[in-house]
Amino acid sequence: MTTDLILIGGGLIIALEIILVGLGIGIRRAMQRTENAIGRQYNLILRIQTTLKNKSATNAVAENAEMVYQDLLQNLIPIMAAIDVMPRNTPEHPLWRALGGILDTYSRDPFVLEKLRRAIKLNNDVARNINNYSTRADAFLRHLTATDPNGILTTTFTDGLLGQSLTFFAQAVQLAGE
């Protein structure tokens, strides 16, 4: 009988050890799942925070856009006068009308590029205004790209009149330097 009790006691101890090992494994798995869930939540919070910072910066750019537009426009007016280009007759913002007028005229008459090249060579004010415009427009685009990479606002500005005007002016400056 004592051997039976010893065997039963030993069996109970082994069963308890198996149960304890099973509980330990279950607790460890639950802890790992909790750690993984917390890690995913943390990464999600970081992405949300980054997105909100970018949106905030983009909103600040949009709020200050009028000052940027006026600065760019002030540099475009003397350039337009030098190459005899009129702004578009549309209800757009004056900056977009001016840029549209320049690029529309260039698409109809490629000789405008030659006029601009000559104006750059002969008139230091035109060269300075193109340099100022290009520097500020490029900085504006870089800021947009940094705050909203691959965003619709950035793409609109880069592929639109602003980006096209930078290409046009860069061509004229390059031709004037030759």
Side-chain angles (χ1 to χ4, degrees):
M1 183 142 182
T2 39
T3 34
D4 290 337
L5 285 175
I6 291 175
L7 288 174
I8 293 173
L12 284 174
I13 290 174
I14 291 174
L16 280 173
E17 286 177 357
I18 291 173
I19 291 171
L20 288 174
V21 168
L23 283 173
I25 291 171
I27 289 171
R28 185 180 319 153
R29 285 184 184 161
M31 291 294 289
Q32 286 176 341
R33 283 192 305 267
T34 303
E35 286 177 11
N36 288 341
I38 289 172
R40 283 191 301 272
Q41 292 297 322
Y42 179 74
N43 289 335
L44 180 63
I45 288 170
L46 286 178
R47 282 197 315 252
I48 290 170
Q49 182 182 21
T50 301
T51 301
L52 289 175
K53 281 182 183 176
N54 289 344
K55 296 272 185 222
S56 173
T58 301
N59 288 342
V61 167
E63 289 171 5
N64 295 321
E66 186 59 34
M67 290 187 314
V68 173
Y69 292 173
Q70 289 301 322
D71 183 43
L72 294 173
L73 184 61
Q74 292 305 313
N75 287 297
L76 281 178
I77 292 170
I79 297 168
M80 292 174 67
I83 58 175
D84 297 323
V85 171
M86 296 300 293
R88 283 180 178 166
N89 189 14
T90 60
E92 299 171 293
H93 187 279
L95 174 64
W96 307 125
R97 289 194 328 232
L99 289 173
I102 292 170
L103 294 171
D104 290 348
T105 303
Y106 174 61
S107 70
R108 286 190 308 269
D109 180 14
F111 186 69
V112 169
L113 184 61
E114 176 60 20
K115 279 183 174 178
L116 185 56
R117 182 196 70 80
R118 287 180 189 166
I120 292 169
K121 278 194 154 260
L122 300 174
N123 188 337
N124 288 336
D125 288 337
V126 171
R128 187 180 83 266
N129 282 316
I130 286 179
N131 184 42
N132 288 342
Y133 173 84
S134 297
T135 302
R136 290 180 174 115
D138 187 54
F140 180 65
L141 289 177
R142 276 188 279 117
H143 180 72
L144 279 176
T145 303
T147 57
D148 188 29
N150 302 320
I152 192 166
L153 185 63
T154 303
T155 304
T156 300
F157 279 98
T158 304
D159 296 344
L161 292 173
L162 197 63
Q164 292 173 18
S165 69
L166 284 173
T167 302
F168 175 69
F169 291 144
Q171 286 177 322
V173 168
Q174 183 179 11
L175 290 173
E178 294 177 352

